[in-house]
Amino acid sequence: MSELLPAAIAPRLRQSTGAAGRSALAALDQLLVVLPHAPGAAAWQRVPEGARLRRQLQQLGKPGKCGMLRSRLGGTADTGVTVACLPDPRQQQDTAFARLKWAGEAMTEALGSRPRTLGILVAGLPAGQAAAIAQALLLAAGAAAFQLPDYRRKPEPTSRLRSVQLLGLDTMLDLRRTQAEIEAANLVRWLTALPPNKLTAASYHGLVAQLSEHHDWSLRFLDRAALRRLGAGAFLAVAQGNGEPDPGAGILHLSRRPRGNTRPDVALVGKGIIFDTGGTNLKPFRSMLDMHHDMSGSAVALATLLAMTRLDLPLAVDCWLAISENRSGPQAYKPRDVVQAANGSTIEVIHTDAEGRMVLADTLALASREKPRIIIDYATLTGQCINALTDRYSGVFTNRPALNEVLVAAGRASGERVWPFPMDEDFDEELRSQVADVLQCSVDNEGDHILAARFLQRFVPPAQPWVHVDLSAATRKKALGQVPAGPTGFGVRLTLNLLLDRQDSLAAHLPPQRRDT
């Protein structure tokens, strides 16, 4: 597999039922014990050496409050133990995001000694709550144990975690799905963090080609010559400033067709601007510094396809990755240029730093030709969305207003929270051009996240259900939920929740599922 991919992407997850025996505990480097906020005697009885650990926690002076204790179990194995009590339910709502956030904090404590093997024991909680907490802890362990690219001669020491064992849980969890979600989110984080001289258009193409061969996806690359034949002038306007060798900028089209079906159920579209200078309208230094993150939408689309493949879902999937740089130079596109997109619409360019909507316009138009039941696109598209929501949420937009409630529910359940924005037709007044069918963006930039979505909608036929995710939470300087600071992998779990856990709610707003005969 490509040298650009991480050697290890997630620890192995395991689960055993029944009481945690001495031999199982001896095989662990570290045990994380999770208890209610005010654990009673029955909860402590399920904990190895519970009486001693209870006394130690009481000695901290917080016998009835949320606490965190580090200790060691007796015996020759000398297994480390971290005891973590849940927050007071009277002071914190039990939401998916709150559970993930707490799990991330607890996991930081548990992994402080850099164990190779970790056990998790949840005691004293109802079965449903215990299962939810355990899953959050598994997700947190997968995120905390993952090492982002590090090119120092002596990299910082990181967690050595290789396996996580759930102990004594009465409910069997879907570890296969949790493992797939961890691996997919970590792949997004890894690709987003790669330096721009490592993840070039050519190396990205090579990486995707190897994944495609390994997972039996079909792959088609639409290079600049092919895009010219397709009339994709919006994408080409951005790409014409690149100085990359072949294969260079282009659109990668991946297809997964299980059970012989040839029609896509879902199309995943990702913005893959691998570095964004702003083009002719050059960004200032601080705004340009982390613009290698501008390809994270494509990473989300690719990793979601990978997760769906690992889970062997019976869904036919198209994945479209719009890969280019946005560079300045004598060939770069300019304000007031007029270009024609693949659907025939003409676009008047206003600001060359609004390149994401340009490459997505043609990619959405091409994806729509395959007539999937739904298109979902992902993009770090606008600073206005960050201004509106901060980097804790991401914005969602759709041409099916009834889907907004389903999207919000998927965000709440997955812990990847989203918020919908209006898509009223009168916003189009700000995009009227005197010389073309549409302005690329407005001069004033007010409500640009909404105007960008209204612009993109023009390249999706009205009969085609479509969701646009503006990834304002793609990266964060502080932790987000269970994920440490940096790239978050936001979008994978949201999408899987939408497609798997909300099938009926989603299907109510989509055309009937089609199968070849």
Side-chain angles (χ1 to χ4, degrees):
M1 197 60 69
S2 171
E3 63 180 12
L4 288 179
L5 291 173
I9 202 163
R12 180 186 295 182
L13 308 182
R14 299 173 177 171
Q15 181 175 357
S16 58
T17 56
R22 184 178 298 275
S23 60
L25 294 172
L28 301 173
D29 294 331
Q30 187 74 18
L31 175 66
L32 172 60
V33 176
V34 177
L35 297 166
H37 172 68
W44 283 109
Q45 288 175 0
R46 297 194 62 186
V47 178
E49 302 181 30
R52 178 178 64 82
L53 294 173
R54 185 181 188 182
R55 288 193 299 271
Q56 289 182 344
L57 188 61
Q58 290 173 336
Q59 289 170 3
L60 294 177
K62 300 178 180 180
K65 298 181 180 180
C66 174
M68 195 79 72
L69 169 69
R70 284 187 181 181
S71 185
R72 304 200 77 81
L73 297 181
T76 56
D78 200 27
T79 301
V81 59
T82 300
V83 179
C85 296
L86 292 174
D88 189 341
R90 297 168 299 181
Q91 299 178 3
Q92 179 173 297
Q93 291 183 326
D94 184 24
T95 65
F97 180 81
R99 286 194 297 271
L100 290 168
K101 184 175 185 295
W102 178 87
E105 295 166 354
M107 197 54 62
T108 298
E109 291 286 331
L111 298 182
S113 60
R114 300 178 60 229
R116 288 183 179 273
T117 57
L118 172 70
I120 297 175
L121 174 63
V122 182
L125 296 173
Q129 185 183 10
I133 290 293
Q135 186 195 37
L137 288 166
L138 292 176
L139 293 166
F146 185 64
Q147 182 177 1
L148 292 173
D150 190 338
Y151 297 95
R152 287 172 287 193
R153 293 173 62 184
K154 295 182 179 180
E156 288 289 326
T158 59
S159 171
R160 302 177 298 170
L161 191 62
R162 296 292 178 265
S163 67
V164 183
Q165 180 89 24
L166 281 180
L167 303 167
L169 199 66
D170 295 330
T171 304
M172 293 299 294
L173 299 186
D174 186 355
L175 295 187
R176 188 161 168 258
R177 176 170 171 181
T178 303
Q179 187 94 47
E181 290 180 348
I182 291 171
E183 291 177 356
N186 283 344
L187 177 61
V188 177
R189 296 170 63 204
W190 174 273
L191 293 175
T192 302
L194 281 173
N197 65 324
K198 302 293 184 181
L199 190 69
T200 64
S203 65
Y204 203 173
H205 183 177
L207 180 155
V208 172
Q210 290 187 48
L211 285 174
S212 175
E213 183 177 358
H214 186 74
H215 295 289
D216 198 26
W217 303 329
S218 66
L219 172 62
R220 178 172 62 133
F221 179 57
L222 302 175
D223 61 13
R224 283 184 254 195
L227 291 172
R228 276 192 290 272
R229 290 192 295 270
L230 291 168
F235 184 101
L236 291 169
V238 176
Q240 71 192 33
N242 292 359
E244 297 166 336
D246 289 336
I251 298 175
L252 283 165
H253 176 201
L254 297 156
S255 297
R256 175 180 180 266
R257 295 292 185 268
R259 292 135 175 88
N261 187 42
T262 60
R263 296 184 177 183
D265 295 302
V266 58
L268 309 171
V269 176
K271 172 188 172 184
I273 301 297
I274 52 178
F275 196 79
D276 179 18
T277 68
T280 301
N281 298 122
L282 198 66
K283 292 177 182 287
F285 155 65
R286 290 189 181 276
S287 298
M288 198 192 300
L289 188 60
D290 292 325
M291 280 297 104
H292 59 298
H293 294 164
D294 212 17
M295 45 60 64
S296 61
S298 66
V300 174
L302 177 64
T304 302
L305 172 62
L306 178 63
M308 297 172 75
T309 303
R310 292 271 172 86
L311 295 173
D312 194 26
L313 299 183
L315 293 174
V317 187
D318 278 349
C319 181
W320 301 78
L321 310 179
I323 299 175
S324 178
E325 291 191 57
N326 185 29
R327 301 295 295 268
S328 59
Q331 302 302 318
Y333 80 132
K334 310 170 295 300
R336 299 298 185 188
D337 281 357
V338 174
V339 299
Q340 187 173 47
N343 72 343
S345 296
T346 55
I347 304 165
E348 182 182 2
V349 176
I350 295 299
H351 200 302
T352 63
D353 199 19
E355 85 297 331
R357 67 199 73 183
M358 298 287 284
V359 300
L360 284 176
D362 279 329
T363 311
L364 287 170
L366 296 175
S368 297
R369 294 180 183 180
E370 305 296 325
K371 298 182 179 179
R373 293 185 73 206
I374 186 170
I375 295 175
I376 307 173
D377 82 66
Y378 313 87
T380 47
L381 204 63
T382 66
Q384 286 287 341
C385 201
I386 299 175
N387 292 339
L389 294 175
T390 75
D391 50 12
R392 299 173 184 271
Y393 274 64
S394 287
V396 287
F397 307 77
T398 177
N399 60 358
R400 297 294 187 272
L403 276 179
N404 281 329
E405 185 176 341
V406 183
L407 292 165
V408 170
R412 286 174 177 163
S414 65
E416 293 188 341
R417 302 170 297 179
V418 296
W419 197 251
F421 287 91
M423 287 281 284
D424 301 278
E425 292 181 359
D426 60 299
F427 282 105
D428 291 346
E429 295 172 6
E430 308 303 320
L431 296 177
R432 288 177 181 167
S433 169
Q434 300 301 312
V435 299
D437 295 323
V438 64
L439 291 179
Q440 172 205 33
C441 58
S442 76
V443 175
D444 296 328
N445 202 41
E446 294 179 355
D448 186 51
H449 53 316
I450 300 172
L451 298 184
R454 288 298 302 178
F455 174 87
L456 292 178
Q457 182 174 281
R458 290 173 171 266
F459 303 91
V460 179
Q464 172 65 65
W466 162 71
V467 172
H468 163 56
V469 185
D470 196 332
L471 289 168
S472 44
T475 59
R476 195 162 190 266
K477 291 182 179 180
K478 298 181 180 179
L480 183 65
Q482 81 282 13
V483 183
T488 63
F490 189 108
V492 172
R493 298 191 66 243
L494 168 74
T495 307
L496 292 178
N497 188 280
L498 180 67
L499 297 177
L500 299 183
D501 302 325
R502 254 143 267 284
Q503 291 183 54
D504 294 341
S505 299
L506 182 63
H509 308 291
L510 304 183
Q513 193 169 26
R514 299 164 301 185
R515 285 287 178 261
D516 297 330
T517 57

